[in-house]
Amino acid sequence: MSRLMEPLSVGGVIGEVVDNFIPSVNLNVTYNSNRQVSNGHELMPAVITAKPRVEIGGEDMRAAYTLVMTDPDAPSPSDAYLREHLHWIVTDIPGTTDASFGRELVSYETPKPVIGIHRYVFVLFKQRARHSVRPPASRDYFNTRSFAEENGLGLPVAAVYFNAQRENACRRR
Amino acid sequence: MACASTSASATWNMSSLRSAIPSIHARSASSVHLSTGTSSSRLKLSSSKVPHSFVGLAPLHPLFSLSSPDSTSFEHCFTVIDNGGRFFAMRHGKRVPKLNRPPDQRRALLRGLTTQLLKHGRIKTTRARASAMRKYVDKMVTLAKDGSLHKRRQALGFIYEKEIVHALFAEVEERYGDRNGGYTRIIRTLPRRGDNAPMAYIELV
């Protein structure tokens, strides 16, 4: 169990975005049907323009899940005063299906990293009841922890993140 | 002894010469002591096997620090020979990362990398460069924590862009006020496609 959590805590996701949790549900995020998101790997901005296919595990289809995608390094990792920037919220996803079966609360916004290398975090929560999640007021100054508190979501059940920088950033050094 | 000899006598007095030279006879005496191994009140010889050269009465230059092994710090201008002038064919115990570059290029590389890290907050580079940079980034943050004009000028002499130095000095108090050291984090990642070099992200913690 701790082997899955190591990249998340080393990458700072546990600590800055969410608290320490025990992952209980499988989460597969795939862009363009061939680029799977793995913790800490880098994706090109051309790949992440469209929303990904998110497949979740879980035991049955009666449970509802909420997926949140944020950027904790907005606008720049060295000075993240807009932490975090919200990109996507999908609620009422039935278990063992994918995100297209859910209700998109906040539409997918294409990540545009301008300065530095940004982390983009997908967090999956289990809902207690359907239609219990309300959209936040704005995309900036988002706080995943307080969002979970307000909507009674508790600790996450899965998380994954990837890195992205702007298209013409220096990569050879 | 310093008087110019205007006397006509050319003969030297050997006893006066011998008393002027520092005696090194204790060395041969100690080898006999070590072989016998008796521990009475003998003269213990100092650990160096080379007889001390005559350094004269001139005071040691204050900038020569004989005990500091750090010859890569940026305010250091003189070569320090800290192993008694011995040279070895191997690199045993020397922990300076050379990064496959001569010293001037190495210094420039590390200056550039720390400038970029302080500017962007997170950069992706090779693992060797990332672990070599840590020391310089921590040094810059420590200078900023001190905050005096002298330290600011020292930082300006290292970082390539002055706006970054001023921004660092302005915000270090609230960001790193409580943290003692360890201002960076290194995350290893996939190797680079072109040459399979092991890569890492280094970020300000």
Side-chain angles (χ1 to χ4, degrees):
Chain A
M1 192 86 61
S2 63
R3 287 222 46 218
L4 295 170
M5 307 311 291
E6 258 178 43
L8 287 176
S9 45
V10 168
V13 170
I14 294 182
E16 287 178 21
V17 183
V18 293
D19 296 315
N20 205 347
F21 66 94
I22 301 174
S24 51
V25 175
N26 287 338
L27 180 63
N28 266 347
V29 183
T30 315
Y31 276 97
N32 271 357
S33 77
N34 59 349
R35 286 257 175 266
Q36 189 180 6
V37 169
S38 326
N39 277 323
H41 290 183
E42 183 182 347
L43 294 175
M44 298 294 289
V47 167
I48 54 180
T49 43
K51 67 172 82 161
R53 184 183 155 79
V54 181
E55 290 153 19
I56 59 180
E59 298 94 27
D60 54 35
M61 299 190 58
R62 286 169 299 175
Y65 293 92
T66 302
L67 177 78
V68 177
M69 175 181 175
T70 63
D71 172 12
D73 302 317
S76 151
S78 63
D79 186 21
Y81 54 85
L82 292 177
R83 158 167 303 174
E84 311 151 13
H85 185 80
L86 178 66
H87 280 275
W88 199 27
I89 299 186
V90 187
T91 44
D92 300 333
I93 308 173
T96 72
T97 59
D98 67 73
S100 57
F101 290 88
R103 187 166 50 96
E104 205 177 36
L105 215 55
V106 175
S107 57
Y108 183 77
E109 182 190 352
T110 307
K112 280 191 174 41
V114 177
I115 307 175
I117 305 177
H118 292 232
R119 295 166 290 173
Y120 293 100
V121 187
F122 292 93
V123 190
L124 191 71
F125 295 97
K126 184 167 179 172
Q127 290 169 230
R128 295 219 196 99
R130 305 183 73 89
H131 307 293
S132 63
V133 181
R134 285 184 322 275
S138 82
R139 285 187 188 253
D140 287 329
Y141 302 107
F142 184 74
N143 191 314
T144 313
R145 286 190 181 100
S146 56
F147 177 77
E149 289 259 348
E150 285 162 19
N151 295 289
L153 297 170
L155 285 178
V157 293
V160 77
Y161 81 102
F162 67 92
N163 290 320
Q165 33 180 332
R166 60 175 219 268
E167 190 80 46
N168 51 352
C170 174
R171 284 185 172 85
R172 283 300 298 179
R173 264 197 141 228
Chain B
M1 295 297 162
C3 58
S5 57
T6 55
S7 59
S9 66
T11 59
W12 296 351
N13 197 343
M14 275 313 291
S15 59
S16 64
L17 275 181
R18 202 175 286 125
S19 60
I21 298 171
S23 58
I24 54 173
H25 62 82
R27 241 180 81 227
S28 55
S30 73
S31 59
V32 174
H33 292 160
L34 286 173
S35 59
T36 56
T38 54
S39 63
S40 48
S41 60
R42 302 274 188 212
L43 260 183
K44 288 251 195 290
L45 190 63
S46 64
S47 58
S48 102
K49 301 216 175 19
V50 179
H52 294 290
S53 61
F54 180 60
V55 289
L57 296 174
L60 283 179
H61 200 291
L63 283 183
F64 280 140
S65 51
L66 295 175
S67 59
S68 99
D70 177 15
S71 58
T72 63
S73 70
F74 47 91
E75 67 238 27
H76 195 97
C77 307
F78 299 97
T79 318
V80 170
I81 304 178
D82 55 352
N83 61 354
R86 300 187 289 272
F87 56 92
F88 297 111
M90 296 149 282
R91 195 198 55 94
H92 289 184
K94 297 184 188 166
R95 292 170 20 174
V96 169
K98 291 215 200 140
L99 301 175
N100 293 324
R101 279 168 168 79
D104 51 345
Q105 285 189 34
R106 191 187 316 151
R107 183 170 137 83
L109 171 66
L110 290 166
R111 282 175 71 179
L113 282 173
T114 56
T115 305
Q116 294 295 309
L117 176 64
L118 291 173
K119 180 173 179 183
H120 290 110
R122 182 181 292 125
I123 61 173
K124 182 173 174 184
T125 175
T126 65
R127 273 184 218 167
R129 289 178 194 167
S131 71
M133 268 170 78
R134 287 178 298 178
K135 167 180 167 182
Y136 295 94
V137 176
D138 287 354
K139 206 166 247 192
M140 286 298 113
V141 175
T142 309
L143 287 183
K145 270 190 168 179
D146 185 292
S148 64
L149 174 63
H150 178 54
K151 299 286 189 274
R152 188 181 287 257
R153 286 188 172 160
Q154 284 185 320
L156 283 167
F158 189 83
I159 304 281
Y160 281 122
E161 294 171 34
K162 64 176 188 181
E163 293 88 9
I164 297 176
V165 173
H166 297 321
L168 177 68
F169 271 67
E171 66 165 32
V172 78
E173 167 70 37
E174 35 135 329
R175 270 188 86 167
Y176 296 122
D178 302 330
R179 195 178 283 267
N180 287 333
Y183 308 111
T184 59
R185 175 187 293 139
I186 292 188
I187 305 170
R188 294 172 300 187
T189 181
L190 290 176
R192 186 161 54 188
R193 182 177 168 261
D195 55 357
N196 206 32
M199 300 295 276
Y201 288 105
I202 178 167
E203 61 186 27
L204 294 172
V205 85

